[in-house]
Amino acid sequence: MAKNIKQKPSPETQAEALKIAKATQRPAQTKEQTKLIAQGIEKGIDLYKKQQKEKARELSRKLKKVSDQQSDSSGSENQTTVERIVYRQHWLPWLLLVLSWLGWGFYFFGFQQ
């Protein structure tokens, strides 16, 4: 049973809406018109807040669901998985390094006669 209880907007929301309404007020606009505009802005702010709360609830539900799935999958596995990282290097840089050392060795020791 979903009850449709009409909640009164918070004083902060009312003040913010009135501030926005006064900031956009036209020169020939009456106070009643400004109040109506402020009420419309309040409704918009409340609707926005409700949407954000719903998004936050939905996100927390998804996060909870994912964390439950991870805990279930990790709890059901009794085997321990050991990851072994093997770094494989290419042989070409080592070959070039050895050749450059040999080249410098022949250059220095070959020409010093």
Side-chain angles (χ1 to χ4, degrees):
M1 265 202 260
K3 294 182 180 179
N4 226 352
I5 299 173
K6 190 119 184 173
Q7 292 182 340
K8 190 174 183 181
S10 68
E12 294 87 13
T13 305
Q14 290 176 344
E16 186 178 352
L18 189 59
K19 180 181 169 185
I20 294 170
K22 284 184 178 181
T24 60
Q25 188 175 13
R26 302 286 178 182
Q29 189 172 318
T30 63
K31 287 185 180 182
E32 291 81 20
Q33 290 172 333
T34 306
K35 278 187 175 182
L36 289 173
I37 292 171
Q39 287 174 353
I41 294 172
E42 284 175 22
K43 288 180 183 178
I45 291 172
D46 285 340
L47 180 63
Y48 176 77
K49 286 182 179 179
K50 285 179 186 178
Q51 289 172 347
Q52 293 303 313
K53 285 180 184 178
E54 181 61 33
K55 285 181 184 178
R57 280 194 298 269
E58 189 65 32
L59 180 63
S60 65
R61 284 186 203 128
K62 288 180 181 179
L63 289 174
K64 185 177 178 183
K65 186 177 180 181
V66 168
S67 66
D68 287 344
Q69 287 176 350
Q70 286 180 349
S71 65
D72 289 345
S73 66
S74 65
S76 65
E77 290 183 13
N78 292 335
Q79 297 177 348
T80 317
T81 305
V82 178
E83 291 185 28
R84 195 175 80 194
I85 300 173
V86 178
Y87 293 104
R88 299 204 57 205
Q89 295 180 347
H90 200 269
W91 54 269
L92 182 63
W94 290 107
L95 177 68
L96 293 174
L97 179 66
V98 169
L99 289 176
S100 66
W101 285 347
L102 289 173
W104 281 105
F106 284 128
Y107 177 73
F108 284 120
F109 295 119
F111 289 115
Q112 291 191 7
Q113 293 177 2

